[in-house]
Amino acid sequence: MKSSILRQGHFFSLLLLSWTCCCCFFVAVHGSAPVAESPELLEETSSETFKFVHKTVIIPHDQKKHRGGEDAAATSDQLLVVADGVGGWANKGVNPGLYSRLLTKTIVEMFEKDKEKQSPLSLSEIVEQANQYAASQHLGSATCTAVRLTGPNTLQTLNIGDSGYSIHRRTSSGLNVVFASEPGQKQFNFPHQIGGKYGDVVAEVADHHTHSLQKGDILVVYSDGVSDNLHPQEYHECIDRYLTADGIVVSYSL
């Protein structure tokens, strides 16, 4: 196991989980301290740069290891993305993970290229353009959740289908669920999904929110493999396992 230790200062703690095949841990930091390869204590800084410190681990289901799994995650300093590839494509001889992996990779790449422009694209526009590109390269479809920092305490989110996210805040009585997204579905067990001409139009089905975060808030982003089995309140036991009494967050990669 590797670990990273982060001092409680001006930052938000974020945990990203995606089914059994993808686990990521994130901390959104006020400051531009470099991210080290080895465990390191990050000091509070006075910089006006806001960023995620992030780690991703992919663990495919045993029956899906041969094709690399179906879920995907991609990250940058200010953007986190999860896509859950629709497994039904495998019955048609299609690897669902190819589309979901290219989708998340392209969303991050487009965001990084676009963010310095005077009139940057909206999150919905970035996801739709990435969707069309990924679908031009691979058959498939996926649910998708993307979250990005837009300031020192502002989180902007987009959610399509039954992937999702929740925000958790510590009080004197323990962790509380501040927000939990609702799945977007056409009908029971039939979530909204994107996949070029085989999926929905992002602008028509995406659920958007803007949140004001507080120091120490924890964000969990997940696919339905998590939310089908655990309620947001049940994440707290796992979260608390990696928080020390004085607020230091310790993350372990499997």
Side-chain angles (χ1 to χ4, degrees):
M1 286 187 177
K2 295 181 180 178
S3 65
S4 300
I5 303 175
L6 304 133
R7 178 165 297 167
Q8 182 82 359
H10 289 291
F11 47 110
F12 313 110
S13 303
L14 300 99
L15 174 72
L16 184 155
L17 301 171
S18 177
W19 180 210
T20 55
C21 75
C22 177
C23 248
C24 317
F25 178 84
F26 303 91
V27 177
V29 184
H30 283 228
S32 55
V35 182
E37 292 278 336
S38 57
E40 181 182 9
L41 207 59
L42 298 181
E43 300 291 342
E44 180 179 335
T45 78
S46 59
S47 170
E48 292 302 316
T49 301
F50 310 100
K51 63 191 295 185
F52 293 118
V53 178
H54 43 87
K55 173 74 176 179
T56 305
V57 179
I58 304 293
I59 308 173
H61 188 284
D62 286 346
Q63 296 177 356
K64 302 171 184 177
K65 284 182 178 179
H66 66 284
R67 59 174 182 262
E70 298 168 353
D71 291 12
T75 65
S76 75
D77 286 350
Q78 295 175 311
L79 178 70
L80 316 177
V81 187
V82 163
D84 181 0
V86 175
W89 283 98
N91 298 328
K92 301 180 182 296
V94 173
N95 180 351
L98 295 178
Y99 168 78
S100 62
R101 287 191 286 272
L102 185 57
L103 174 68
T104 56
K105 177 177 179 287
T106 305
I107 289 172
V108 170
E109 289 177 347
M110 290 185 61
F111 171 76
E112 287 299 303
K113 292 177 181 177
D114 183 72
K115 67 181 181 181
E116 301 302 330
K117 295 180 180 178
Q118 289 187 342
S119 300
L121 296 172
S122 68
L123 198 52
S124 181
E125 290 170 327
I126 291 173
V127 172
E128 176 60 22
Q129 290 186 25
N131 163 42
Q132 294 301 328
Y133 172 71
S136 73
Q137 304 299 307
H138 300 293
L139 283 174
S141 56
T143 64
C144 182
T145 299
V147 303
R148 68 176 178 183
L149 286 173
T150 58
N153 67 335
T154 303
L155 184 77
Q156 198 175 74
T157 70
L158 174 150
N159 193 60
I160 298 168
D162 55 5
S163 293
Y165 68 99
S166 55
I167 300 172
H168 306 256
R169 184 165 297 156
R170 185 167 296 283
T171 67
S172 57
S173 59
L175 283 170
N176 290 320
V177 179
V178 175
F179 179 87
S181 62
E182 295 289 335
Q185 300 188 95
K186 304 174 190 287
Q187 59 190 45
F188 176 72
N189 205 32
F190 189 5
H192 295 304
Q193 54 195 263
I194 53 176
K197 65 181 181 180
Y198 297 103
D200 298 304
V201 177
V202 172
E204 295 177 357
V205 299
D207 187 26
H208 296 273
H209 289 277
T210 300
H211 304 279
S212 293
L213 299 175
Q214 295 182 13
K215 181 177 68 177
D217 280 0
I218 296 168
L219 172 66
V220 183
V221 188
Y222 45 79
S223 77
D224 66 334
V226 174
S227 56
D228 284 351
N229 293 283
L230 294 171
H231 296 293
Q233 294 86 348
E234 294 179 285
Y235 307 160
H236 295 169
E237 181 180 352
C238 177
I239 292 169
D240 281 334
R241 192 177 303 164
Y242 299 103
L243 285 176
T244 63
D246 55 358
I248 294 177
V249 182
V250 183
S251 73
Y252 294 93
S253 62
L254 299 175

